[in-house]
Amino acid sequence: MAISFASATIFSKPSLFLQRSGLSLRLRFSSFSTSSAALHSDKFHAHKKWRHPVAASLIELGGVKISREEIVKDDPTNNVPDSIFSKLGMQLHRRDQHPLGILKNAIYDYFDTNYPSKFDKFDNLCPIVSVKANFDDVLVPADHVSRSYNDTYYVDSQTVLRCHTSAHQAELLSKGHTHFLVTGDVYRRDSIDSTHYPVFHQMEGVRVFTPADWEGSGMDATSYAAEDLKKCLEGLARHLFGGVEMRWIDTYFPFTSPSFELEIFFQEKWLEVLGCGVMEQEILRRSGRMDNVAWAFGLGLERLAMVLFDIPDIRLFWTMDERFTSQFSRGQLGVKFKPFSKYPPCYKDMSFWISDAFTENNLCEVVRGIAGDLVEEVKLIDNFTNKKGMTSHCYRIAYRSMERSLTDEEINDLQWKVREQVESKLKVVLR
Ligand code: DAH
């Protein structure tokens, strides 16, 4: 798990993305973590690689060919497993008939209608970025937990799989873009459940203003940008969700000040839609834009698509099962997904004494490395510390295929491998 920035109360909230339940996820730069702050080398060394063969060993990203060996390396500063390499280049957001592509296009439509020919659109930028672009350029503090090996996939000490589309802000600003949308796959080590997957998709939006924009308004530059931002995003939310009730929540991000979250009242609940704010002056200054102000926003496409299309499990976005894919077509936002019969889950519990280096993200990566998308959830169901100070965790693993019934033998085999690797790789003692 990960993060927080929120000013004074750093690390005080017990969850990764504001609320850990439901769909209020993924805005990790505004939220909090239970994991102790910096994991850095210790935890990383406890987490060696677990691999299984993958089909493609050469992929093309934004016109550049990249081999598996460049991304999955036997090197202590690399923590990218094959299961993640196999997702690079899938680009679900570029498929017009896929819910994520349909949603991206619906957002494009909103910007094209309201700001004709204004916003430059990028959806094919390489997800392998420098640590500088991912963190430093957007002012993520040097000791921030999101930089840890427990939370982020490192290709080497200076290169990561982007953990947010904000990683492209500074570069695009420096290149002279003043209105842009960046959509892409983003990568985060995380726990496993129906709303968390280590790869998901975000869209970033940025708009820059010059003094001529705000000078006649009677407002100061920041208020002007904040007001324009709110109007733009309220319009976007109405475009996607219809006439819903909305509210703005003040929050904290390292890259914006002031910072906000937009929530909408949808299906009887307040749903966090996006994070945004007025861009920190320092980001603009470093990009050579001294006397400008800008707004920025970031939204998670899966989260919105799950509620707009009634998709109950984040793994479904990745399935090739025709019973899923055939239900969506280009331009059809919000068609309700009709669940096909679910195959039964199979639960396996495992208990172990943890060591100091243990983290739930590492456990989840072991399980996912072995069982792939057959693992539906990894849940802590018991946790105690004995008189000697030893702490025991019991996890319940739910295995379920979206596509077929799993045999007992298959599950037992998987569970056996999980037990073996949990013990050898995470340095815990099975009970
Ligand atoms: N990068 C943030 C995240 O992944 C989302 C975000 C928040 C992007 C506010 C922004 C912003 O551009 O202004 O959690």
Side-chain angles (χ1 to χ4, degrees):
M1 302 220 267
I3 317 315
S4 175
F5 280 101
S7 46
T9 48
I10 240 164
F11 306 130
S12 67
K13 209 167 171 183
S15 86
L16 177 46
F17 306 117
L18 287 183
Q19 290 130 31
R20 195 60 180 71
S21 62
L23 296 173
S24 303
L25 316 166
R26 298 303 184 201
L27 288 165
R28 77 162 163 180
F29 292 99
S30 68
S31 52
F32 301 79
S33 172
T34 47
S35 59
S36 55
L39 308 155
H40 307 303
S41 49
D42 284 5
K43 298 230 166 131
F44 179 62
H45 287 305
H47 155 251
K48 280 256 167 61
K49 244 67 92 29
W50 32 87
R51 303 227 169 103
H52 50 84
V54 282
S57 59
L58 198 65
I59 48 165
E60 197 168 319
L61 293 171
V64 180
K65 287 206 167 53
I66 295 173
S67 70
R68 175 187 171 276
E69 286 64 39
E70 290 173 83
I71 306 298
V72 182
K73 300 187 225 176
D74 246 331
D75 176 311
T77 61
N78 180 292
N79 63 350
V80 184
D82 274 326
S83 56
I84 291 297
F85 174 74
S86 67
K87 298 292 190 286
L88 282 162
M90 297 278 280
Q91 298 197 311
L92 302 180
H93 61 286
R94 298 183 77 206
R95 303 181 189 181
D96 291 337
Q97 316 226 0
H98 189 280
L100 298 176
I102 299 169
L103 175 57
K104 179 197 79 175
N105 289 333
I107 301 174
Y108 279 3
D109 286 345
Y110 171 77
F111 280 92
D112 287 343
T113 308
N114 291 282
Y115 310 87
S117 312
K118 267 261 180 239
F119 279 80
D120 301 323
K121 305 185 192 83
F122 300 89
D123 70 353
N124 193 21
L125 298 178
C126 184
I128 304 158
V129 300
S130 64
V131 166
K132 176 176 174 298
N134 198 74
F135 297 119
D136 304 340
D137 287 351
V138 281
L139 314 179
V140 174
D143 60 352
H144 193 270
V145 68
S146 64
R147 293 181 181 248
S148 75
Y149 285 107
N150 191 54
D151 287 45
T152 291
Y153 290 105
Y154 279 78
V155 173
D156 57 45
S157 65
Q158 298 309 315
T159 316
V160 296
L161 304 186
R162 69 182 162 212
C163 71
H164 55 173
T165 44
S166 308
H168 300 288
Q169 272 188 16
E171 191 190 348
L172 291 173
L173 285 168
S174 300
K175 285 186 171 159
H177 296 282
T178 56
H179 296 70
F180 56 86
L181 301 172
V182 179
T183 314
D185 36 334
V186 299
Y187 296 78
R188 294 181 191 175
R189 300 185 82 233
D190 208 344
S191 47
I192 300 177
D193 63 31
S194 65
T195 58
H196 288 84
Y197 200 80
V199 191
F200 59 104
H201 298 77
Q202 289 188 328
M203 187 188 290
E204 191 86 5
V206 170
R207 179 174 188 183
V208 180
F209 299 94
T210 59
D213 294 315
W214 70 80
E215 269 168 9
S217 71
M219 272 187 260
D220 64 87
T222 303
S223 314
Y224 181 85
E227 193 177 292
D228 187 85
L229 169 69
K230 287 184 174 178
K231 238 195 291 158
C232 169
L233 295 176
E234 285 169 12
L236 174 62
R238 267 193 300 276
H239 176 73
L240 300 177
F241 292 93
V244 286
E245 207 184 324
M246 304 182 200
R247 67 183 184 193
W248 288 99
I249 313 283
D250 289 332
T251 186
Y252 174 82
F253 297 107
F255 13 89
T256 46
S257 175
S259 306
F260 315 102
E261 275 157 9
L262 175 60
E263 294 190 345
I264 60 167
F265 198 67
F266 191 70
Q267 295 171 346
E268 307 300 306
K269 277 193 270 236
W270 284 104
L271 169 73
E272 190 192 306
V273 176
L274 49 79
C276 64
V278 178
M279 190 179 284
E280 280 288 356
Q281 276 301 310
E282 179 64 10
I283 300 177
L284 284 165
R285 198 185 58 75
R286 290 188 199 170
S287 306
R289 303 203 148 267
M290 308 312 180
D291 53 358
N292 293 173
V293 291
W295 57 237
F297 71 83
L299 56 81
L301 291 178
E302 273 83 351
R303 184 139 55 113
L304 300 188
M306 286 178 86
V307 295
L308 285 164
F309 294 92
D310 266 354
I311 296 172
D313 189 312
I314 197 164
R315 290 179 305 166
L316 281 164
F317 289 107
W318 296 91
T319 185
M320 307 289 257
D321 191 324
E322 269 207 6
R323 290 171 303 169
F324 179 80
T325 55
S326 66
Q327 293 195 30
F328 307 99
S329 24
R330 185 192 184 106
Q332 301 287 303
L333 182 71
V335 169
K336 298 300 174 213
F337 168 65
K338 291 181 215 61
F340 37 85
S341 58
K342 270 191 159 188
Y343 293 95
C346 176
Y347 299 102
K348 294 282 174 191
D349 293 352
M350 62 186 305
S351 301
F352 43 82
W353 299 109
I354 62 165
S355 65
D356 285 348
F358 175 81
T359 74
E360 198 170 297
N361 284 359
N362 286 347
L363 171 67
C364 288
E365 190 118 299
V366 170
V367 181
R368 218 189 293 264
I370 294 163
D373 284 358
L374 296 180
V375 49
E376 179 171 85
E377 188 172 33
V378 176
K379 191 172 171 187
L380 182 64
I381 55 169
D382 189 37
N383 174 4
F384 69 88
T385 303
N386 70 10
K387 284 191 193 128
K388 293 186 197 153
M390 293 159 73
T391 298
S392 163
H393 282 183
C394 179
Y395 283 91
R396 175 158 298 164
I397 304 176
Y399 295 98
R400 190 204 307 252
S401 167
M402 300 270 169
E403 280 129 29
R404 61 196 174 82
S405 269
L406 301 173
T407 63
D408 281 350
E409 203 187 341
E410 190 178 7
I411 298 293
N412 287 338
D413 190 42
L414 288 174
Q415 181 66 8
W416 181 246
K417 289 195 182 121
V418 166
R419 290 177 66 85
E420 252 177 21
Q421 292 200 12
V422 163
E423 189 158 47
S424 62
K425 291 175 169 150
L426 303 183
K427 310 273 183 278
V428 303
V429 180
L430 294 176
R431 303 182 51 220

PDB file of all heavy atoms in Angstrom, residues 272-300:
ATOM      1  N   GLU A 272     -15.680   9.839  -5.802  1.00  0.00           N
ATOM      2  CA  GLU A 272     -14.590  10.748  -6.139  1.00  0.00           C
ATOM      3  C   GLU A 272     -14.270  10.577  -7.621  1.00  0.00           C
ATOM      4  O   GLU A 272     -14.010   9.463  -8.084  1.00  0.00           O
ATOM      5  CB  GLU A 272     -13.408  10.320  -5.281  1.00  0.00           C
ATOM      6  CG  GLU A 272     -12.253  11.219  -5.274  1.00  0.00           C
ATOM      7  CD  GLU A 272     -11.098  10.494  -4.616  1.00  0.00           C
ATOM      8  OE1 GLU A 272     -11.268  10.005  -3.482  1.00  0.00           O
ATOM      9  OE2 GLU A 272     -10.061  10.383  -5.272  1.00  0.00           O
ATOM     10  N   VAL A 273     -14.313  11.658  -8.361  1.00  0.00           N
ATOM     11  CA  VAL A 273     -14.164  11.556  -9.808  1.00  0.00           C
ATOM     12  C   VAL A 273     -12.732  11.864 -10.261  1.00  0.00           C
ATOM     13  O   VAL A 273     -12.201  11.232 -11.154  1.00  0.00           O
ATOM     14  CB  VAL A 273     -15.150  12.528 -10.513  1.00  0.00           C
ATOM     15  CG1 VAL A 273     -14.955  12.513 -12.016  1.00  0.00           C
ATOM     16  CG2 VAL A 273     -16.576  12.174 -10.182  1.00  0.00           C
ATOM     17  N   LEU A 274     -12.128  12.849  -9.618  1.00  0.00           N
ATOM     18  CA  LEU A 274     -10.792  13.250 -10.082  1.00  0.00           C
ATOM     19  C   LEU A 274     -10.109  14.143  -9.061  1.00  0.00           C
ATOM     20  O   LEU A 274     -10.737  14.655  -8.128  1.00  0.00           O
ATOM     21  CB  LEU A 274     -10.888  13.994 -11.421  1.00  0.00           C
ATOM     22  CG  LEU A 274     -11.902  15.130 -11.548  1.00  0.00           C
ATOM     23  CD1 LEU A 274     -11.386  16.408 -10.898  1.00  0.00           C
ATOM     24  CD2 LEU A 274     -12.180  15.415 -13.011  1.00  0.00           C
ATOM     25  N   GLY A 275      -8.807  14.322  -9.264  1.00  0.00           N
ATOM     26  CA  GLY A 275      -8.028  15.272  -8.477  1.00  0.00           C
ATOM     27  C   GLY A 275      -7.549  16.377  -9.401  1.00  0.00           C
ATOM     28  O   GLY A 275      -7.327  16.144 -10.594  1.00  0.00           O
ATOM     29  N   CYS A 276      -7.391  17.560  -8.860  1.00  0.00           N
ATOM     30  CA  CYS A 276      -7.010  18.678  -9.743  1.00  0.00           C
ATOM     31  C   CYS A 276      -6.517  19.855  -8.902  1.00  0.00           C
ATOM     32  O   CYS A 276      -6.544  19.804  -7.671  1.00  0.00           O
ATOM     33  CB  CYS A 276      -8.214  19.106 -10.573  1.00  0.00           C
ATOM     34  SG  CYS A 276      -9.578  19.752  -9.596  1.00  0.00           S
ATOM     35  N   GLY A 277      -6.130  20.907  -9.593  1.00  0.00           N
ATOM     36  CA  GLY A 277      -5.731  22.109  -8.872  1.00  0.00           C
ATOM     37  C   GLY A 277      -5.022  23.095  -9.774  1.00  0.00           C
ATOM     38  O   GLY A 277      -4.903  22.891 -10.986  1.00  0.00           O
ATOM     39  N   VAL A 278      -4.579  24.160  -9.158  1.00  0.00           N
ATOM     40  CA  VAL A 278      -3.801  25.169  -9.876  1.00  0.00           C
ATOM     41  C   VAL A 278      -2.331  24.744  -9.779  1.00  0.00           C
ATOM     42  O   VAL A 278      -1.816  24.521  -8.674  1.00  0.00           O
ATOM     43  CB  VAL A 278      -4.027  26.576  -9.277  1.00  0.00           C
ATOM     44  CG1 VAL A 278      -3.169  27.604  -9.997  1.00  0.00           C
ATOM     45  CG2 VAL A 278      -5.508  26.941  -9.346  1.00  0.00           C
ATOM     46  N   MET A 279      -1.710  24.597 -10.907  1.00  0.00           N
ATOM     47  CA  MET A 279      -0.355  24.041 -10.953  1.00  0.00           C
ATOM     48  C   MET A 279       0.622  24.859 -10.118  1.00  0.00           C
ATOM     49  O   MET A 279       0.575  26.105 -10.134  1.00  0.00           O
ATOM     50  CB  MET A 279       0.114  24.014 -12.413  1.00  0.00           C
ATOM     51  CG  MET A 279       1.394  23.240 -12.624  1.00  0.00           C
ATOM     52  SD  MET A 279       1.858  23.247 -14.363  1.00  0.00           S
ATOM     53  CE  MET A 279       0.693  22.067 -15.015  1.00  0.00           C
ATOM     54  N   GLU A 280       1.494  24.184  -9.389  1.00  0.00           N
ATOM     55  CA  GLU A 280       2.523  24.878  -8.614  1.00  0.00           C
ATOM     56  C   GLU A 280       3.356  25.754  -9.563  1.00  0.00           C
ATOM     57  O   GLU A 280       3.796  25.292 -10.623  1.00  0.00           O
ATOM     58  CB  GLU A 280       3.444  23.868  -7.924  1.00  0.00           C
ATOM     59  CG  GLU A 280       2.876  23.257  -6.645  1.00  0.00           C
ATOM     60  CD  GLU A 280       2.847  24.232  -5.474  1.00  0.00           C
ATOM     61  OE1 GLU A 280       3.349  25.379  -5.619  1.00  0.00           O
ATOM     62  OE2 GLU A 280       2.304  23.859  -4.413  1.00  0.00           O
ATOM     63  N   GLN A 281       3.585  26.989  -9.175  1.00  0.00           N
ATOM     64  CA  GLN A 281       4.353  27.925 -10.003  1.00  0.00           C
ATOM     65  C   GLN A 281       5.723  27.369 -10.374  1.00  0.00           C
ATOM     66  O   GLN A 281       6.221  27.592 -11.481  1.00  0.00           O
ATOM     67  CB  GLN A 281       4.537  29.248  -9.253  1.00  0.00           C
ATOM     68  CG  GLN A 281       3.353  30.184  -9.397  1.00  0.00           C
ATOM     69  CD  GLN A 281       3.080  30.545 -10.862  1.00  0.00           C
ATOM     70  OE1 GLN A 281       3.976  30.930 -11.587  1.00  0.00           O
ATOM     71  NE2 GLN A 281       1.838  30.390 -11.298  1.00  0.00           N
ATOM     72  N   GLU A 282       6.307  26.617  -9.449  1.00  0.00           N
ATOM     73  CA  GLU A 282       7.660  26.106  -9.679  1.00  0.00           C
ATOM     74  C   GLU A 282       7.717  25.199 -10.920  1.00  0.00           C
ATOM     75  O   GLU A 282       8.702  25.202 -11.660  1.00  0.00           O
ATOM     76  CB  GLU A 282       8.093  25.337  -8.415  1.00  0.00           C
ATOM     77  CG  GLU A 282       9.465  24.708  -8.458  1.00  0.00           C
ATOM     78  CD  GLU A 282      10.601  25.731  -8.573  1.00  0.00           C
ATOM     79  OE1 GLU A 282      10.355  26.944  -8.424  1.00  0.00           O
ATOM     80  OE2 GLU A 282      11.730  25.293  -8.868  1.00  0.00           O
ATOM     81  N   ILE A 283       6.635  24.448 -11.156  1.00  0.00           N
ATOM     82  CA  ILE A 283       6.622  23.556 -12.329  1.00  0.00           C
ATOM     83  C   ILE A 283       6.614  24.396 -13.602  1.00  0.00           C
ATOM     84  O   ILE A 283       7.352  24.136 -14.553  1.00  0.00           O
ATOM     85  CB  ILE A 283       5.392  22.610 -12.289  1.00  0.00           C
ATOM     86  CG1 ILE A 283       5.429  21.754 -11.019  1.00  0.00           C
ATOM     87  CG2 ILE A 283       5.324  21.735 -13.547  1.00  0.00           C
ATOM     88  CD1 ILE A 283       4.218  20.838 -10.846  1.00  0.00           C
ATOM     89  N   LEU A 284       5.820  25.442 -13.596  1.00  0.00           N
ATOM     90  CA  LEU A 284       5.757  26.334 -14.758  1.00  0.00           C
ATOM     91  C   LEU A 284       7.086  27.069 -14.947  1.00  0.00           C
ATOM     92  O   LEU A 284       7.605  27.183 -16.058  1.00  0.00           O
ATOM     93  CB  LEU A 284       4.629  27.352 -14.563  1.00  0.00           C
ATOM     94  CG  LEU A 284       3.216  26.806 -14.779  1.00  0.00           C
ATOM     95  CD1 LEU A 284       2.184  27.764 -14.216  1.00  0.00           C
ATOM     96  CD2 LEU A 284       2.952  26.548 -16.257  1.00  0.00           C
ATOM     97  N   ARG A 285       7.621  27.524 -13.833  1.00  0.00           N
ATOM     98  CA  ARG A 285       8.868  28.292 -13.897  1.00  0.00           C
ATOM     99  C   ARG A 285       9.990  27.446 -14.540  1.00  0.00           C
ATOM    100  O   ARG A 285      10.674  27.874 -15.447  1.00  0.00           O
ATOM    101  CB  ARG A 285       9.277  28.729 -12.490  1.00  0.00           C
ATOM    102  CG  ARG A 285      10.275  29.865 -12.443  1.00  0.00           C
ATOM    103  CD  ARG A 285      10.743  30.182 -11.030  1.00  0.00           C
ATOM    104  NE  ARG A 285      11.365  29.038 -10.359  1.00  0.00           N
ATOM    105  CZ  ARG A 285      12.586  28.585 -10.619  1.00  0.00           C
ATOM    106  NH1 ARG A 285      13.346  29.166 -11.541  1.00  0.00           N
ATOM    107  NH2 ARG A 285      13.058  27.531  -9.971  1.00  0.00           N
ATOM    108  N   ARG A 286      10.090  26.192 -14.048  1.00  0.00           N
ATOM    109  CA  ARG A 286      11.141  25.322 -14.588  1.00  0.00           C
ATOM    110  C   ARG A 286      10.908  24.983 -16.054  1.00  0.00           C
ATOM    111  O   ARG A 286      11.827  24.555 -16.737  1.00  0.00           O
ATOM    112  CB  ARG A 286      11.185  24.018 -13.797  1.00  0.00           C
ATOM    113  CG  ARG A 286      11.696  24.186 -12.382  1.00  0.00           C
ATOM    114  CD  ARG A 286      11.870  22.806 -11.801  1.00  0.00           C
ATOM    115  NE  ARG A 286      11.938  22.803 -10.366  1.00  0.00           N
ATOM    116  CZ  ARG A 286      11.903  21.700  -9.640  1.00  0.00           C
ATOM    117  NH1 ARG A 286      11.785  20.521 -10.205  1.00  0.00           N
ATOM    118  NH2 ARG A 286      11.971  21.765  -8.327  1.00  0.00           N
ATOM    119  N   SER A 287       9.663  25.123 -16.499  1.00  0.00           N
ATOM    120  CA  SER A 287       9.395  24.837 -17.918  1.00  0.00           C
ATOM    121  C   SER A 287       9.494  26.104 -18.751  1.00  0.00           C
ATOM    122  O   SER A 287       9.057  26.136 -19.907  1.00  0.00           O
ATOM    123  CB  SER A 287       7.996  24.251 -18.085  1.00  0.00           C
ATOM    124  OG  SER A 287       7.823  23.144 -17.258  1.00  0.00           O
ATOM    125  N   GLY A 288      10.007  27.155 -18.132  1.00  0.00           N
ATOM    126  CA  GLY A 288      10.232  28.398 -18.877  1.00  0.00           C
ATOM    127  C   GLY A 288       8.994  29.266 -19.016  1.00  0.00           C
ATOM    128  O   GLY A 288       8.918  30.093 -19.917  1.00  0.00           O
ATOM    129  N   ARG A 289       8.007  29.089 -18.137  1.00  0.00           N
ATOM    130  CA  ARG A 289       6.767  29.873 -18.250  1.00  0.00           C
ATOM    131  C   ARG A 289       6.589  30.715 -16.984  1.00  0.00           C
ATOM    132  O   ARG A 289       5.807  30.369 -16.094  1.00  0.00           O
ATOM    133  CB  ARG A 289       5.565  28.941 -18.421  1.00  0.00           C
ATOM    134  CG  ARG A 289       5.704  28.031 -19.594  1.00  0.00           C
ATOM    135  CD  ARG A 289       4.378  27.534 -20.109  1.00  0.00           C
ATOM    136  NE  ARG A 289       4.448  27.344 -21.560  1.00  0.00           N
ATOM    137  CZ  ARG A 289       4.102  28.248 -22.461  1.00  0.00           C
ATOM    138  NH1 ARG A 289       3.624  29.407 -22.102  1.00  0.00           N
ATOM    139  NH2 ARG A 289       4.219  27.992 -23.744  1.00  0.00           N
ATOM    140  N   MET A 290       7.342  31.814 -16.901  1.00  0.00           N
ATOM    141  CA  MET A 290       7.410  32.610 -15.670  1.00  0.00           C
ATOM    142  C   MET A 290       6.094  33.274 -15.294  1.00  0.00           C
ATOM    143  O   MET A 290       5.665  33.203 -14.171  1.00  0.00           O
ATOM    144  CB  MET A 290       8.450  33.730 -15.778  1.00  0.00           C
ATOM    145  CG  MET A 290       9.798  33.300 -16.222  1.00  0.00           C
ATOM    146  SD  MET A 290      10.356  31.870 -15.314  1.00  0.00           S
ATOM    147  CE  MET A 290      11.938  31.620 -16.077  1.00  0.00           C
ATOM    148  N   ASP A 291       5.482  33.940 -16.265  1.00  0.00           N
ATOM    149  CA  ASP A 291       4.339  34.777 -15.869  1.00  0.00           C
ATOM    150  C   ASP A 291       3.002  34.131 -16.253  1.00  0.00           C
ATOM    151  O   ASP A 291       2.038  34.808 -16.544  1.00  0.00           O
ATOM    152  CB  ASP A 291       4.470  36.178 -16.484  1.00  0.00           C
ATOM    153  CG  ASP A 291       4.677  36.075 -17.992  1.00  0.00           C
ATOM    154  OD1 ASP A 291       4.756  34.945 -18.503  1.00  0.00           O
ATOM    155  OD2 ASP A 291       4.756  37.132 -18.660  1.00  0.00           O
ATOM    156  N   ASN A 292       2.970  32.818 -16.232  1.00  0.00           N
ATOM    157  CA  ASN A 292       1.737  32.097 -16.563  1.00  0.00           C
ATOM    158  C   ASN A 292       1.139  31.447 -15.331  1.00  0.00           C
ATOM    159  O   ASN A 292       1.812  31.317 -14.292  1.00  0.00           O
ATOM    160  CB  ASN A 292       2.024  30.977 -17.583  1.00  0.00           C
ATOM    161  CG  ASN A 292       2.444  31.519 -18.954  1.00  0.00           C
ATOM    162  OD1 ASN A 292       2.826  30.762 -19.826  1.00  0.00           O
ATOM    163  ND2 ASN A 292       2.388  32.829 -19.153  1.00  0.00           N
ATOM    164  N   VAL A 293      -0.123  31.103 -15.404  1.00  0.00           N
ATOM    165  CA  VAL A 293      -0.694  30.170 -14.418  1.00  0.00           C
ATOM    166  C   VAL A 293      -1.317  29.043 -15.221  1.00  0.00           C
ATOM    167  O   VAL A 293      -1.593  29.193 -16.418  1.00  0.00           O
ATOM    168  CB  VAL A 293      -1.783  30.780 -13.492  1.00  0.00           C
ATOM    169  CG1 VAL A 293      -1.203  31.773 -12.531  1.00  0.00           C
ATOM    170  CG2 VAL A 293      -2.947  31.330 -14.281  1.00  0.00           C
ATOM    171  N   ALA A 294      -1.552  27.921 -14.526  1.00  0.00           N
ATOM    172  CA  ALA A 294      -2.137  26.777 -15.235  1.00  0.00           C
ATOM    173  C   ALA A 294      -2.989  25.975 -14.281  1.00  0.00           C
ATOM    174  O   ALA A 294      -2.799  26.028 -13.060  1.00  0.00           O
ATOM    175  CB  ALA A 294      -1.020  25.896 -15.794  1.00  0.00           C
ATOM    176  N   TRP A 295      -3.931  25.264 -14.840  1.00  0.00           N
ATOM    177  CA  TRP A 295      -4.595  24.238 -14.025  1.00  0.00           C
ATOM    178  C   TRP A 295      -4.234  22.861 -14.545  1.00  0.00           C
ATOM    179  O   TRP A 295      -3.787  22.723 -15.694  1.00  0.00           O
ATOM    180  CB  TRP A 295      -6.089  24.442 -13.892  1.00  0.00           C
ATOM    181  CG  TRP A 295      -7.030  24.540 -15.073  1.00  0.00           C
ATOM    182  CD1 TRP A 295      -7.862  25.593 -15.334  1.00  0.00           C
ATOM    183  CD2 TRP A 295      -7.352  23.564 -16.093  1.00  0.00           C
ATOM    184  NE1 TRP A 295      -8.637  25.345 -16.448  1.00  0.00           N
ATOM    185  CE2 TRP A 295      -8.352  24.106 -16.930  1.00  0.00           C
ATOM    186  CE3 TRP A 295      -6.878  22.288 -16.387  1.00  0.00           C
ATOM    187  CZ2 TRP A 295      -8.884  23.425 -18.032  1.00  0.00           C
ATOM    188  CZ3 TRP A 295      -7.404  21.607 -17.476  1.00  0.00           C
ATOM    189  CH2 TRP A 295      -8.401  22.170 -18.278  1.00  0.00           C
ATOM    190  N   ALA A 296      -4.450  21.863 -13.701  1.00  0.00           N
ATOM    191  CA  ALA A 296      -4.180  20.484 -14.104  1.00  0.00           C
ATOM    192  C   ALA A 296      -5.190  19.588 -13.414  1.00  0.00           C
ATOM    193  O   ALA A 296      -5.688  19.906 -12.338  1.00  0.00           O
ATOM    194  CB  ALA A 296      -2.768  20.079 -13.705  1.00  0.00           C
ATOM    195  N   PHE A 297      -5.504  18.485 -14.068  1.00  0.00           N
ATOM    196  CA  PHE A 297      -6.334  17.477 -13.402  1.00  0.00           C
ATOM    197  C   PHE A 297      -5.834  16.090 -13.784  1.00  0.00           C
ATOM    198  O   PHE A 297      -5.120  15.928 -14.791  1.00  0.00           O
ATOM    199  CB  PHE A 297      -7.822  17.634 -13.767  1.00  0.00           C
ATOM    200  CG  PHE A 297      -8.177  17.256 -15.193  1.00  0.00           C
ATOM    201  CD1 PHE A 297      -8.420  15.930 -15.553  1.00  0.00           C
ATOM    202  CD2 PHE A 297      -8.258  18.216 -16.187  1.00  0.00           C
ATOM    203  CE1 PHE A 297      -8.734  15.583 -16.858  1.00  0.00           C
ATOM    204  CE2 PHE A 297      -8.581  17.877 -17.501  1.00  0.00           C
ATOM    205  CZ  PHE A 297      -8.823  16.543 -17.834  1.00  0.00           C
ATOM    206  N   GLY A 298      -6.199  15.089 -12.980  1.00  0.00           N
ATOM    207  CA  GLY A 298      -5.880  13.700 -13.299  1.00  0.00           C
ATOM    208  C   GLY A 298      -7.063  12.842 -12.898  1.00  0.00           C
ATOM    209  O   GLY A 298      -7.609  13.004 -11.798  1.00  0.00           O
ATOM    210  N   LEU A 299      -7.470  11.961 -13.799  1.00  0.00           N
ATOM    211  CA  LEU A 299      -8.577  11.082 -13.428  1.00  0.00           C
ATOM    212  C   LEU A 299      -8.249   9.643 -13.803  1.00  0.00           C
ATOM    213  O   LEU A 299      -7.511   9.367 -14.747  1.00  0.00           O
ATOM    214  CB  LEU A 299      -9.890  11.556 -14.065  1.00  0.00           C
ATOM    215  CG  LEU A 299     -10.019  11.736 -15.566  1.00  0.00           C
ATOM    216  CD1 LEU A 299     -10.264  10.405 -16.254  1.00  0.00           C
ATOM    217  CD2 LEU A 299     -11.163  12.688 -15.860  1.00  0.00           C
ATOM    218  N   GLY A 300      -8.813   8.715 -13.042  1.00  0.00           N
ATOM    219  CA  GLY A 300      -8.605   7.284 -13.267  1.00  0.00           C
ATOM    220  C   GLY A 300      -9.725   6.749 -14.145  1.00  0.00           C
ATOM    221  O   GLY A 300     -10.893   6.853 -13.788  1.00  0.00           O
TER     222      GLY A 300
END
